[in-house]
Amino acid sequence: MANSAQARKRARQANKHYQHNTAQRSNFRTFLKKVVKAIVIGNKEQAQAAYKAAVPVIDKMVSKGLIHKNKAARHKSRLNSRIFSMQTS
């Protein structure tokens, strides 16, 4: 347990940041799941719309420092290639 006032404050801040980051990470994963779900269903238009909504969220996670820029690029690239390879229906 933290003994000094400074250590107690840092512990409070760490917990607050942890909760905020966890919520943001969950939101990030939700947007990815929406794109994947549309791909699995086979609805290309819905998948493209979900992808366009997910890209700003992914980029925001990078700017906030929650994920690495290479991880964001990897997710965007893989989702986009899966959408591109879908059959137009």
Side-chain angles (χ1 to χ4, degrees):
M1 186 64 203
N3 291 324
S4 67
Q6 176 186 0
R8 284 192 294 272
K9 181 177 180 180
R10 288 304 299 164
R12 284 195 310 270
Q13 287 177 333
N15 187 37
K16 185 176 180 180
H17 292 144
Y18 171 77
Q19 290 176 352
H20 181 262
N21 291 343
T22 303
Q24 294 300 312
R25 219 173 358 257
S26 175
N27 188 38
F28 163 71
R29 291 179 183 139
T30 300
F31 273 88
L32 293 181
K33 287 176 189 176
K34 287 178 183 178
V35 178
V36 172
K37 184 177 179 182
I39 291 170
V40 170
I41 291 172
N43 190 340
K44 190 168 186 173
E45 292 78 22
Q46 185 179 354
Q48 288 173 333
Y51 178 76
K52 285 182 182 179
V55 168
V57 174
I58 295 170
D59 291 337
K60 189 173 183 182
M61 295 299 103
V62 173
S63 67
K64 298 294 183 182
L66 293 175
I67 62 172
H68 195 272
K69 64 179 181 176
N70 291 354
K71 178 176 179 163
R74 183 175 63 243
H75 278 293
K76 290 191 289 188
S77 175
R78 288 180 181 172
L79 289 173
N80 199 24
S81 64
R82 286 180 70 179
I83 292 170
F84 186 75
S85 66
M86 290 175 70
Q87 298 294 330
T88 54
S89 43

